[in-house]
Amino acid sequence: MPARKKSRRLRLIVIAFVLLLVAGVGYGSYWSVSTVRASFPQTTGSLHLKGLSAPVDVERDGNGIPQLYADTPEDLFRAQGYVQAQDRFYEMDVRRHLTAGRLSEMFGSGEVETDAFLRTLNWHGVAQEEYDTKLDATTKQYLQAYTDGVNAYLKDHSGSALSLEYAALKFKSGYKPAPWTPVDSVAWLKAMAWDLRGNMQDEIDRSLMTSRLSQAQIKQLYPDYPYDRNSPIVTTGTVDSSTGDFGADSSSSSPQGLNSAVDSQLAGISQIVDQMPALLGPNGTGIGSNSWVVSGKYTTTGEPLLANDPHLAPELPSVWYQMGLHCRTVSNACPYDVTGYTFSGMPGVIIGHNQDIAWGMTNLGADVTDLYLEKVTANTYLYDGKQVPFKTRRETIKVAGGKSRTITVRETNNGPLISDRDDQARAVGETAPVSDPPGGVNSGYAVALKWTALMPSKTMDAVFELDRATDFDKFRQAARDFAVPSQNLIYADTKGNIGYQAPGLVPIRPAGDDGAWPEPGWDSKYAWTDRYVPFKAMPYEYNPPQGYIVTANQPVVDQDKYPYLLSADWDYGTRSQRINDLIASKIKDNGKISMDDMQSMQNDDSSEIAKLLVPYLLKVDITNDKGDYVKDAQQLLQGWDYNQDSDSAAAAYFNAVWRNVLKLAFGNKLPKELRPKGQCLRVPPAGQTGPVDDLSGQAKTVEECGERDADEAQPDGGDRWFEVVRDILPDSDNPWWTMSTTAFFGSDTKKSDHSTRDQLLAQAMKDARYELTAKLGKDIDTWSWGRLHKLDLKNQTLGTDGPSVVQWMLNRGPWELSGGEAAVDATGWNAAGGYDVVWVPSMRMIVNLQDFDKSRWINLTGASGHAYNAHYTDQTSLWANGELLPWYYSAGRVGKATQAKMVLTP
């Protein structure tokens, strides 16, 4: 369902302003129509930009997407900074405050804890060190040019002329933005790395499970990757043990085993939870991205086709910014002719194509973090039998409208103590069992975080290197510097070649350490070796025999054929194998794949778990079903094609059944610490068998939820749970099917406590019927998946925490969406929190290497970050319908599509 039309919304806002003024509400003096429009950028005519050596043309198409034309790289990036500030400065400003741990300066005391955690990680400090000691001089020159462009815009704009949000911030706190710096741009790479950091959450969750489950039971909930069914990215080759190069056949064993030295102590960390809300998207198995490239041998164009759609949290404006950066004459002196997606606040292009090559990215998922239990005193930590002083620093957090707070950050050789920033974690450390050293030298465990992103790297260099690469060798050279976050990089070029490269800084852990559990920080044998997987041994492919490459967060290689541990936690291959199967099927049928086929694959919303589970559901005999109330819903699944279209009643019912299956089979068996924040499973009234409302959507205390609910958690429903259920489905008496915790945990078990698979499935279908009756109505003919599966776009700051009138002005939606969990069209939802969309394909693109002007792209929202600008959400309805926009590249086609041209002059 599209959002309200802009014209109607603008009329409503004018009416609201009048009412506010009449009522004498304070906001009325700030929020006028002129205030709303004050920040809209100039897009025609000419503007002076100090520092340019020659004019720069800024050509915007009908969607406001800018293409920049300049004579030098410095002019190009200076203009990029200016134009991005025109469209998105508020977003840039929030991002830099986030990465620096300075949100409290903008938004007050509610952000102090977040700032304290980020100051502990020291993202901005690491970015400063990168800028000072690691980055190439040319990169620093480009960063400074970009910075000068941003600051030139800031010099002439302030308050509501910068963005509507500043009118509210001025009213609240008198906030004024400071000048931009090059380090502000570099630091955003740390935010990327945080949300794409690998298995840290799985490491925490496994620790939480030890308080209630055995190691064997936890193993069942983390099955091995099904290599026999779902292919890894690279299917051939190993590392040559004599040369270290990847490619030649050899045999080597990867580190295996669990550190038994800490098995009995894992419960001591059972309250540690992820300290930061997701910045780019929620973490967990099944969340990721899609990319694939098909050789010209199998395309209708005779040249490669490349597709990419990264899955991130829905944000308004979108995390991506579409742009073209063109040297008028491409040469060694000015080598850039690149177009694609970048981040506001960062020069260059992150994903896209230039005149010779195209590339895409998905999260590799390398395990680049480890949690360490530390035995500490107030001033020291234990390491190999000695008390070692902490490395400490003090950080002062300024608070808008409040008193500043000073924190002390303590660091060990294994990284900063993140437990210092959390009351629960600190309490656990004080009460955790201590076996050594004798005499109670310490008061318990603290928890340190070791993470590759906290080490300075050259990733910013890699961005510019990718933008100017002209062949696979130069592409790989760029990838060598792409340290964090570790990404799957796919490749195609205009000469018909396709390829893949796994980059990233991946630690080599001690033998026997698989990175799956927290380790004892006091013992050096568990420490990282300060050695990393050599780049020449990182997997790659070039023109593979099968003619296509698919990456969707599945394993890079079969671990049995690779000597280095990249990760023990992968996506389970549901999306990747579906894409592989779609490509293989198309090739088998007619041998050729078109642009339309690529787009259709991106929109594929088939449910793989439904294909597995529905045949079992249809065989279940529903008893005591007055008026066939549940059987009528069960029949929706008969003949269903498993597609999760927004208008599908069957998809709505199946996903409700799936959610209730997870709750009944696993929810009451998991420790309460795994219960998501805000979860409150409600007990139905007496006489009603189905839940009234499974999740309130609001944060609740244990007392508000009740004793029963405090002990329940629910799986997120990702494709790890597909594998768990797949493994137990054939066994109708598997212990996980019992709905009684008494029977499951074996205490005072009675025969009547046991339930079988079909009994549980029957109950799940009953509960789903009652649940959807409450949500969608009694008449199943009116049900649809889209009515449950909705997307609301919210401004990430004032749109969630601002006054209601401000939220109403800044937010948009809802849209009713197709797709679903672990579908290729990954409009993800979390079964622990309801059916609303919580991650999305944040953009989609298809690059045509035969003719770049026939490429296609779309963004989640629009080019503008200004509410009520024509390009605020002008792409969203097209995106929701699976449509793509033309993506013109040549100067001639860009010129014909241009609807607004501006010249920036020296």
Side-chain angles (χ1 to χ4, degrees):
M1 179 186 297
R4 300 180 181 93
K5 294 183 179 179
K6 289 186 287 292
S7 59
R8 177 173 178 267
R9 196 165 178 83
L10 191 56
R11 287 196 300 271
L12 290 173
I13 205 70
V14 171
I15 294 171
F17 287 145
V18 173
L19 293 174
L20 287 170
L21 287 168
V22 170
V25 178
Y27 286 101
S29 60
Y30 287 85
W31 299 71
S32 63
V33 174
S34 61
T35 301
V36 170
R37 298 183 61 85
S39 60
F40 291 5
Q42 179 179 335
T43 58
T44 59
S46 63
L47 284 170
H48 174 66
L49 177 54
K50 183 180 178 180
L52 290 177
S53 65
V56 176
D57 294 326
V58 182
E59 301 183 14
R60 295 178 184 264
D61 64 12
N63 293 98
I65 300 169
Q67 303 284 338
L68 277 55
Y69 296 85
D71 291 332
T72 69
E74 291 78 11
D75 284 355
L76 199 58
F77 297 123
R78 182 174 280 104
Q80 184 183 17
Y82 188 90
V83 170
Q84 285 195 346
Q86 279 188 307
D87 284 336
R88 299 278 193 97
F89 182 75
Y90 177 74
E91 177 191 14
M92 294 163 59
D93 200 15
V94 171
R95 284 181 177 177
R96 67 167 168 171
H97 279 79
L98 186 150
T99 56
R102 293 172 48 212
L103 287 172
S104 300
E105 295 178 21
M106 295 183 75
F107 305 110
S109 59
E111 300 297 335
V112 168
E113 295 305 321
T114 297
D115 282 347
F117 186 74
L118 287 167
R119 296 288 185 95
T120 299
L121 296 185
N122 197 29
W123 289 355
H124 199 270
V126 177
Q128 183 71 60
E129 188 174 352
E130 287 180 357
Y131 184 81
D132 292 340
T133 66
K134 292 289 185 179
L135 297 184
D136 183 83
T138 301
T139 295
K140 294 167 74 169
Q141 189 174 348
Y142 293 163
L143 285 165
Q144 188 60 56
Y146 179 91
T147 295
D148 292 343
V150 175
N151 288 332
Y153 190 75
L154 285 181
K155 182 179 178 181
D156 297 328
H157 298 80
S158 62
S160 61
L162 266 178
S163 196
L164 184 63
E165 291 90 340
Y166 288 108
L169 286 178
K170 181 178 180 182
F171 177 77
K172 179 179 180 181
S173 63
Y175 170 80
K176 294 181 180 179
W180 194 261
T181 73
V183 177
D184 291 336
S185 295
V186 178
W188 182 244
L189 293 168
K190 303 305 173 186
M192 288 177 59
W194 176 255
D195 271 358
L196 304 175
R197 63 193 179 275
N199 78 333
M200 180 175 164
Q201 192 61 52
D202 286 320
E203 190 174 335
I204 291 170
D205 288 350
R206 275 188 288 263
S207 298
L208 298 174
M209 290 179 185
T210 59
S211 67
R212 204 172 191 196
L213 300 176
S214 68
Q215 292 291 340
Q217 290 168 330
I218 294 173
K219 174 66 175 174
Q220 288 179 305
L221 300 184
Y222 286 87
D224 293 333
Y225 184 83
Y227 288 102
D228 58 336
R229 190 175 69 252
N230 297 342
S231 299
I233 297 170
V234 178
T235 56
T236 59
T238 59
V239 173
D240 189 310
S241 58
S242 62
T243 66
D245 291 321
F246 182 84
D249 288 335
S250 66
S251 60
S252 181
S253 60
S254 60
Q256 294 182 5
L258 178 68
N259 279 318
S260 59
V262 296
D263 283 0
S264 64
Q265 301 161 357
L266 288 173
I269 194 177
S270 64
Q271 297 294 320
I272 297 293
V273 294
D274 200 350
Q275 297 298 299
M276 266 293 295
L279 309 176
L280 302 179
N283 293 288
T285 303
I287 305 166
S289 305
N290 303 322
S291 71
W292 64 95
V293 60
V294 183
S295 167
K297 178 181 178 181
Y298 295 120
T299 68
T300 57
T301 66
E303 297 292 342
L305 299 176
L306 183 150
N308 195 190
D309 55 287
H311 306 158
L312 302 170
E315 295 187 3
L316 180 60
S318 167
V319 68
W320 297 108
Y321 184 90
Q322 295 154 288
M323 196 171 216
L325 302 170
H326 309 278
C327 292
R328 291 191 179 96
T329 300
V330 178
S331 64
N332 288 336
C334 194
Y336 297 100
D337 192 10
V338 61
T339 181
Y341 297 84
T342 187
F343 299 117
S344 300
M346 186 180 294
V349 167
I350 305 298
I351 295 174
H353 74 82
N354 60 27
Q355 71 277 16
D356 296 304
I357 74 167
W359 68 95
M361 297 185 188
T362 64
N363 191 24
L364 189 148
D367 186 357
V368 295
T369 61
D370 273 336
L371 295 175
Y372 282 89
L373 302 178
E374 303 286 354
K375 296 179 179 180
V376 304
T377 66
N379 301 309
T380 65
Y381 62 96
L382 184 69
Y383 192 68
D384 282 348
K386 297 179 181 179
Q387 296 299 134
V388 181
F390 289 112
K391 180 181 178 182
T392 63
R393 55 187 162 84
R394 291 174 67 81
E395 298 273 354
T396 298
I397 300 169
K398 297 180 180 179
V399 181
K403 185 178 179 181
S404 297
R405 174 182 166 186
T406 299
I407 64 170
T408 299
V409 177
R410 302 188 294 173
E411 292 188 34
T412 74
N413 63 312
N414 292 316
L417 295 185
I418 61 172
S419 53
D420 280 355
R421 303 281 78 86
D422 179 73
D423 290 339
Q424 281 188 320
R426 188 160 49 249
V428 169
E430 292 171 355
T431 59
V434 178
S435 58
D436 142 70
V441 177
N442 60 299
S443 60
Y445 294 137
V447 183
L449 172 65
K450 189 79 169 180
W451 180 29
T452 56
L454 300 184
M455 293 176 276
S457 70
K458 294 169 65 67
T459 302
M460 194 69 234
D461 284 348
V463 173
F464 294 110
E465 292 171 30
L466 282 173
D467 286 356
R468 60 179 182 256
T470 56
D471 56 33
F472 192 60
D473 285 342
K474 290 184 174 60
F475 175 77
R476 294 192 71 207
Q477 290 174 19
R480 181 186 297 271
D481 287 333
F482 208 105
V484 291
S486 188
Q487 298 288 286
N488 296 306
L489 298 177
I490 60 166
Y491 168 93
D493 63 36
T494 55
K495 295 181 180 179
N497 302 301
I498 65 172
Y500 164 84
Q501 177 66 57
L505 194 64
V506 182
I508 297 177
R509 292 175 171 82
D513 180 4
D514 63 1
W517 304 87
E519 302 286 9
W522 55 88
D523 190 336
S524 62
K525 74 179 182 181
Y526 296 102
W528 286 9
T529 61
D530 290 328
R531 293 191 302 119
Y532 300 89
V533 178
F535 180 77
K536 63 182 179 180
M538 291 294 284
Y540 75 93
E541 277 194 320
Y542 189 56
N543 294 326
Q546 68 180 12
Y548 56 91
I549 303 168
V550 175
T551 87
N553 317 110
Q554 79 272 38
V556 177
V557 294
D558 188 331
Q559 195 62 63
D560 290 338
K561 299 179 180 179
Y562 190 70
Y564 299 109
L565 179 70
L566 297 179
S567 178
D569 294 291
W570 303 100
D571 184 278
Y572 279 79
T574 301
R575 285 177 291 108
S576 63
Q577 195 57 42
R578 176 64 177 171
I579 297 167
N580 270 300
D581 291 344
L582 289 170
I583 294 172
S585 176
K586 188 70 178 180
I587 291 173
K588 181 179 179 181
D589 288 345
N590 59 28
K592 302 294 179 182
I593 293 173
S594 68
M595 288 287 290
D596 288 343
D597 292 329
M598 298 285 278
Q599 186 171 341
S600 177
M601 291 176 192
Q602 284 187 327
N603 291 319
D604 182 82
D605 57 23
S606 177
S607 171
E608 298 304 300
I609 186 59
K611 295 175 185 177
L612 180 68
L613 192 55
V614 164
Y616 288 87
L617 296 175
L618 289 174
K619 293 177 181 178
V620 172
D621 182 22
I622 306 296
T623 59
N624 301 319
D625 184 24
K626 186 177 181 180
D628 292 336
Y629 193 63
V630 179
K631 288 180 182 178
D632 285 347
Q634 183 185 30
Q635 287 306 304
L636 289 172
L637 305 178
Q638 189 73 49
W640 178 39
D641 61 5
Y642 308 119
N643 290 330
Q644 300 172 95
D645 300 329
S646 62
D647 61 357
S648 171
Y653 182 59
F654 172 77
N655 283 313
V657 172
W658 169 239
R659 182 165 174 254
N660 279 278
V661 166
L662 293 172
K663 184 179 74 171
L664 292 170
F666 307 102
N668 62 351
K669 304 175 184 73
L670 300 176
K672 63 182 180 180
E673 292 83 9
L674 283 174
R675 182 166 55 87
K677 294 178 181 178
Q679 181 177 339
C680 188
L681 303 176
R682 295 182 179 177
V683 181
Q688 183 173 317
T689 59
V692 175
D693 184 1
D694 287 315
L695 297 170
S696 68
Q698 302 294 322
K700 297 288 185 181
T701 65
V702 171
E703 290 74 19
E704 289 174 305
C705 285
E707 287 289 331
R708 170 181 177 271
D709 300 323
D711 291 331
E712 292 190 351
Q714 186 164 333
D716 62 16
D719 75 346
R720 172 166 67 89
W721 294 100
F722 291 12
E723 288 301 309
V724 172
V725 171
R726 180 190 297 274
D727 288 345
I728 67 173
L729 260 179
D731 180 5
S732 63
D733 290 315
N734 190 283
W736 290 105
W737 294 125
T738 185
M739 291 179 277
S740 165
T741 55
T742 299
F744 181 79
F745 291 111
S747 175
D748 298 324
T749 302
K750 300 177 182 178
K751 187 174 182 179
S752 59
D753 289 331
H754 288 282
S755 58
T756 65
R757 176 197 62 211
D758 289 351
Q759 288 172 325
L760 184 143
L761 295 181
Q763 187 62 49
M765 284 192 283
K766 292 177 183 177
D767 290 350
R769 173 48 156 137
Y770 283 107
E771 180 186 358
L772 294 199
T773 297
K775 293 179 183 294
L776 302 180
K778 186 176 180 179
D779 186 356
I780 62 175
D781 292 333
T782 67
W783 291 0
S784 69
W785 176 224
R787 288 179 61 196
L788 287 175
H789 193 55
K790 295 181 291 186
L791 170 68
D792 283 288
L793 291 174
K794 295 183 178 181
N795 178 287
Q796 292 302 294
T797 54
L798 298 180
T800 56
D801 296 323
S804 57
V805 66
V806 176
Q807 294 188 38
W808 182 78
M809 293 179 68
L810 297 179
N811 299 339
R812 299 292 183 270
W815 284 264
E816 297 183 357
L817 299 186
S818 301
E821 171 57 46
V824 180
D825 181 14
T827 54
W829 55 284
N830 190 320
Y835 306 98
D836 287 341
V837 176
V838 294
W839 65 89
V840 294
S842 55
M843 62 79 157
R844 298 185 182 102
M845 74 176 199
I846 304 172
V847 183
N848 186 321
L849 275 295
Q850 186 267 333
D851 184 350
F852 286 129
D853 286 331
K854 294 180 180 178
S855 301
R856 304 172 188 174
W857 63 351
I858 199 75
N859 205 350
L860 173 63
T861 59
S864 179
H866 303 297
Y868 304 103
N869 184 280
H871 307 304
Y872 190 47
T873 55
D874 59 333
Q875 298 185 50
T876 308
S877 291
L878 295 172
W879 171 91
N881 292 327
E883 300 178 45
L884 300 172
L885 294 169
W887 182 4
Y888 298 127
Y889 176 68
S890 68
R893 291 303 299 270
V894 168
K896 290 180 180 179
T898 296
Q899 295 192 12
K901 182 174 181 178
M902 178 178 68
V903 180
L904 297 173
T905 61

